[in-house]
Amino acid sequence: DGGITQSPKYLFRKEGQNVTLSCEQNLNHDAMYWYRQDPGQGLRLIYYSQIVNDFQKGDIAEGYSVSREKKESFPLTVTSAQKNPTAFYLCASSMGTSGAYNEQFFGPGTRLTVL
Amino acid sequence: KNQVEQSPQSLIILEGKNCTLQCNYTVSPFSNLRWYKQDTGRGPVSLTIMTFSENTKSNGRYTATLDADTKQSSLHITASQLSDSASYICVVSEGFQKLVFGTGTRLLVSP
């Protein structure tokens, strides 16, 4: 898990609620990423950020929002607009701005369950 | 469509035995291929990263091979241990920014 922390480890949400997942890294990495993992599927990119105060949508950004106010922090908010939010959420970071060229280091994940 | 397919979906082997996991991809343009190990309920951990010019790379008992012509890769695990029980994910880099993830092979090492 390196120097990437995610909290909480488990999160329960009622329908209609927004929740925020925390991701912090002390690796001095430039880029950070949020992925969603569902059973039987490969990881899917939600959002990524290459520099502070800038972020880009990934393949499944609808119903999610992010911010990057500090280099070490990249919180993900799961909004009520996300119709099927129950999943395992993984945060990652990489040195440099290319997630494809540079190795990505993953956090321990947050399991979100909608009640 | 850029895809990464892994086989088998799941595998059970006896402790001490060897095994080989397969990865076929159709990703283009190709930058590199990675193998990750993911323990249940944890984040993936990198095992190897191979570029176009690398045919093989080892990390302890893990050896990855890459055939860029046939777009195939394999991960060979030697003398398996109980701690090798995990999902193994093949990931191919598409161009400069995008990663394409396989669905993984779930390995169970039985005592």
Side-chain angles (χ1 to χ4, degrees), chain A residues 50-64:
Chain A
Q50 296 172 294
I51 58 173
V52 174
N53 292 323
D54 186 56
F55 47 83
Q56 307 295 327
K57 292 183 178 180
D59 299 321
I60 55 166
E62 185 176 353
Y64 300 97

Side-chain angles (χ1 to χ4, degrees), chain A residues 16-69:
Chain A
Q17 284 183 334
N18 293 352
V19 290
T20 297
L21 283 59
S22 170
C23 177
E24 303 275 336
Q25 55 100 358
N26 62 4
L27 301 169
N28 198 32
H29 283 173
D30 299 300
M32 297 185 74
Y33 311 82
W34 274 105
Y35 292 93
R36 170 179 171 142
Q37 187 174 35
D38 295 282
Q41 296 191 42
L43 272 69
R44 293 181 290 170
L45 182 64
I46 305 172
Y47 268 99
Y48 66 98
S49 169
Q50 296 172 294
I51 58 173
V52 174
N53 292 323
D54 186 56
F55 47 83
Q56 307 295 327
K57 292 183 178 180
D59 299 321
I60 55 166
E62 185 176 353
Y64 300 97
S65 66
V66 294
S67 64
R68 186 91 185 273
E69 297 178 359

Side-chain angles (χ1 to χ4, degrees), chain A residues 49-99:
Chain A
S49 169
Q50 296 172 294
I51 58 173
V52 174
N53 292 323
D54 186 56
F55 47 83
Q56 307 295 327
K57 292 183 178 180
D59 299 321
I60 55 166
E62 185 176 353
Y64 300 97
S65 66
V66 294
S67 64
R68 186 91 185 273
E69 297 178 359
K70 297 184 297 183
K71 186 176 184 178
E72 58 271 22
S73 178
F74 191 40
L76 172 74
T77 296
V78 184
T79 75
S80 56
Q82 171 49 236
K83 297 307 179 187
N84 186 23
T86 295
F88 190 52
Y89 290 87
L90 287 160
C91 179
S93 69
S94 67
M95 182 70 72
T97 57
S98 170

